[in-house]
């Protein structure tokens, strides 16, 4: 009998924001992932990279400013660096936890490129903030290079980039091969390295991809049974943050679509998670998506916590 497959999408709360925090957070996260593997699940892991890619982008830009002959790293390169840096800690953390339990399975990080549409409407209206706060003079220099900036009231200016939707996962065959060999895969980190197809070449895009949307696409492409999106709230709520906030334990596809139409799920937090879940569920039979906190993952799988969409 084929093993059940799950894609676990980790939010930045499961990873920390700096090197010491990340080490400690990964040790806790690895225990939860190992629980699923010990319960005979085939696991693919997707992780956030919001703090990490911002740190790398800032560091590379500052280095190039202070040292002649060095250039700033484009967003696609910063994304690739963050995949390697976070994946390194994750794969070692998961491997160590499995060995403690007497489980010997390879864990691999795949530097993953994700194709985006050059005509995606997000390229005309970037919204994702990246990098450090700048002065007006520095912001003018960024705009002169063709980049977008936005004013942060009372602080300064910050660069913003587009968030196009994922179209295809370039390394999907390698990911499938590892999953078919019953190995643990860390892929599409930070939503993937965004690339544009230009003839035979793939060109890095100055953008970031929503990690949750790439997680949903990956779950479809490997024919997973469950997409589990781990975030900083225990479950999805209607009227979030208001006095009449209503937690939801279960939603049908039709109910979720109705709630979207009623603007219950806002950007940039919950809406991509719901959209990714619906796209995954509607692409096959017997699938479900779960949204919850990391420490409730196993309980949510049994329907005792979190929000299940099916």
């Amino acid at each position: 009998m084929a093993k059940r497959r799950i894609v676990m999408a980790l939010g930045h709360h499961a990873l920390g924001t700096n090197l010491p925090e990340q080490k400690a957070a990964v040790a806790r996260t690895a225990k939860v992932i190992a629980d699923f593997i010990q319960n005979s699940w085939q696991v693919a892991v997707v992780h956030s990279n919001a703090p990490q890619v911002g740190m790398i982008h800032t560091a590379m830009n500052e280095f190039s400013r202070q040292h002649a002959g060095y250039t700033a790293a484009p967003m696609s390169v910063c994304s690739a660096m963050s995949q390697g840096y976070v994946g390194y800690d994750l794969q070692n953390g998961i491997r160590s936890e499995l060995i403690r339990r007497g489980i010997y399975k390879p864990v691999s990080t795949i530097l993953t490129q994700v194709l985006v549409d050059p005509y995606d409407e997000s390229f005309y209206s970037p919204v994702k903030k990246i990098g450090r706060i700048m002065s007006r003079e520095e912001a003018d220099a960024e705009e002169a290079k063709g980049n977008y900036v936005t004013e942060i009231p009372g602080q300064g200016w910050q660069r913003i980039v587009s968030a196009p939707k994922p179209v295809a996962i370039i390394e999907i065959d390698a990911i499938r091969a590892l999953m078919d060999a019953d190995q643990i895969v860390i892929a599409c980190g930070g939503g993937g390295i965004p690339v544009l197809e230009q003839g035979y070449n793939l060109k890095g895009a100055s953008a970031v991809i929503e990690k949750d949307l790439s997680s949903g696409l990956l779950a479809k492409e490997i024919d997973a049974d469950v997409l589990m999106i781990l975030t900083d709230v225990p479950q999805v709520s209607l009227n979030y943050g208001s006095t009449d906030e209503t937690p939801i334990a279960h939603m049908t596809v039709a109910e979720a679509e109705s709630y979207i139409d009623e603007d219950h799920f806002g950007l940039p937090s919950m809406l991509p998670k719901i959209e990714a879940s619906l796209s995954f569920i509607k692409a096959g039979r017997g699938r479900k998506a779960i949204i919850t906190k990391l420490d409730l993952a196993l309980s949510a799988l049994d329907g005792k916590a979190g929000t299940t969409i099916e």
Side-chain angles (χ1 to χ4, degrees):
M1 181 178 177
K3 286 191 174 183
R4 297 167 296 172
R5 284 186 176 178
I6 185 169
V7 171
M8 302 180 73
L10 306 176
H12 68 267
H13 293 275
L15 298 170
T17 58
N18 55 43
L19 282 167
E21 283 184 12
Q22 182 169 301
K23 286 284 187 183
V26 163
R28 296 190 297 269
T29 300
K31 287 179 168 59
V32 176
I33 295 170
D35 287 339
F36 281 80
I37 296 165
Q38 193 164 20
N39 288 334
S40 298
W41 283 88
Q42 287 186 331
V43 177
V45 178
V46 178
H47 61 79
S48 168
N49 72 344
Q52 291 84 0
V53 78
M55 177 181 66
I56 292 168
H57 181 264
T58 299
M60 297 300 291
N61 280 0
E62 290 301 303
F63 187 82
S64 68
R65 288 178 63 216
Q66 296 178 26
H67 298 273
Y70 291 90
T71 59
M75 279 302 304
S76 55
V77 172
C78 294
S79 179
M81 289 180 177
S82 74
Q83 283 190 8
Y85 150 48
V86 178
Y88 162 67
D89 274 349
L90 268 175
Q91 69 184 35
N92 282 340
I94 296 168
R95 176 183 178 275
S96 296
E97 184 59 33
L98 291 177
I99 291 174
R100 283 192 195 98
R101 303 181 188 204
I103 301 170
Y104 300 91
K105 285 181 180 292
V107 187
S108 302
T109 298
I110 302 292
L111 285 180
T112 316
Q113 301 173 96
V114 174
L115 191 67
V116 297
D117 183 350
Y119 301 106
D120 190 295
E121 61 183 20
S122 73
F123 282 114
Y124 306 101
S125 53
V127 295
K128 286 286 187 178
K129 298 173 185 175
I130 192 76
R132 66 177 178 83
I133 301 297
M134 299 179 289
S135 66
R136 177 70 265 185
E137 182 181 341
E138 291 171 322
D140 289 342
E142 284 296 321
E143 289 183 319
K145 292 187 287 187
N147 296 324
Y148 292 90
V149 298
T150 187
E151 185 173 5
I152 311 299
Q155 299 182 57
W157 285 260
Q158 193 171 15
R159 186 177 169 190
I160 51 174
V161 296
S162 306
K165 292 183 178 179
V167 173
I169 299 168
I170 302 299
E171 287 76 23
I172 191 61
D173 288 338
I175 296 167
R176 286 193 189 115
L178 290 169
M179 296 295 293
D180 289 343
D182 198 24
Q183 299 185 21
I184 298 100
V185 182
I186 301 161
C188 298
I193 304 162
V195 293
L196 302 166
E197 201 166 32
Q198 297 185 345
Y200 296 112
N201 300 315
L202 295 173
K203 177 180 173 58
S206 182
V208 294
I209 303 172
E210 286 285 356
K211 170 263 303 175
D212 298 314
L213 296 180
S214 292
S215 299
L217 177 59
L218 175 63
K220 283 195 292 186
E221 291 294 333
I222 65 171
D223 195 22
D225 300 283
V226 177
L227 168 64
M228 179 173 281
I229 299 176
L230 300 166
T231 183
D232 60 342
V233 293
Q235 59 191 154
V236 180
S237 295
L238 301 180
N239 306 310
Y240 180 72
S242 68
T243 54
D244 58 342
E245 181 176 329
T246 306
I248 307 172
H250 183 274
M251 281 189 283
T252 65
V253 168
E255 287 170 338
E257 290 176 331
S258 176
Y259 293 144
I260 289 174
D261 291 340
E262 294 167 7
D263 292 327
H264 279 289
F265 309 124
L267 279 170
S269 55
M270 193 55 68
L271 183 59
K273 295 172 174 56
I274 303 296
E275 290 179 337
S277 298
L278 295 181
S279 177
F280 164 65
I281 293 166
K282 292 195 287 187
R285 294 183 178 180
R287 297 174 169 182
K288 66 180 178 180
I290 299 169
I291 301 173
T292 192
K293 293 178 69 173
L294 179 71
D295 57 359
L296 297 175
L298 278 177
S299 297
L301 189 63
D302 294 330
K304 299 175 182 177
T307 299
T308 298
I309 309 172
E310 56 187 348

